[in-house]
Amino acid sequence: HVQLVESGGGSVQAGGSLRLSCAASGYTASSYCMGWFRQFPGKEREVVAAMYTSGGNTYYADSVKGRFAISQDDAKRTMYLQMNNLKPEDTAMYYCAAHQDCKVVAGFGGYWGQGTQVTVS
């Protein structure tokens, strides 16, 4: 049974930084797609960043390019989202998701964590 657990959210002032973590357990695939999404109140989730654990290209939403960075620690089965120069418009619930196919993740399928709140004031 795959489980994803996010942590690292919190409140920060504009211009500050946070690092979100997503710890994965129960996953047996040798490579999978992992992504970070966020959801604003009353709106649909949107992808923030994504990557394959086997390496290769990463994806970033235009709104976070140059400010956010997705990475992983394969040994710890943990994915990270380093968020720098945070803006009030980054305030949202952040989720991590995983599946062997990025198309499934992009369609909001696969496995999801419970979310972690990021508030920028």
Side-chain angles (χ1 to χ4, degrees):
H1 179 62
V2 176
Q3 285 190 314
L4 302 176
V5 179
E6 301 102 332
S7 60
S11 297
V12 65
Q13 290 188 336
S17 299
L18 285 173
R19 189 177 78 157
L20 305 183
S21 299
C22 175
S25 61
Y27 218 106
T28 58
S30 59
S31 175
Y32 46 98
C33 176
M34 295 192 75
W36 286 100
F37 292 73
R38 63 186 180 185
Q39 187 168 23
F40 305 108
K43 296 192 176 181
E44 286 192 353
R45 294 180 186 185
E46 63 177 37
V47 62
V48 175
M51 64 179 291
Y52 273 104
T53 58
S54 57
N57 293 334
T58 55
Y59 168 84
Y60 292 98
D62 287 342
S63 58
V64 305
K65 282 181 180 177
R67 299 190 298 123
F68 290 12
I70 189 171
S71 63
Q72 63 165 336
D73 183 328
D74 195 45
K76 295 181 180 179
R77 290 264 174 154
T78 300
M79 177 180 65
Y80 303 99
L81 184 68
Q82 178 66 43
M83 305 186 295
N84 299 323
N85 191 21
L86 283 160
K87 304 175 181 180
E89 52 263 42
D90 294 317
T91 295
M93 184 70 80
Y94 284 72
Y95 299 87
C96 66
H99 192 269
Q100 287 178 269
D101 189 341
C102 267
K103 292 180 182 177
V104 174
V105 175
F108 306 138
Y111 303 97
W112 288 76
Q114 81 289 350
T116 185
Q117 178 69 37
V118 171
T119 302
V120 185
S121 59

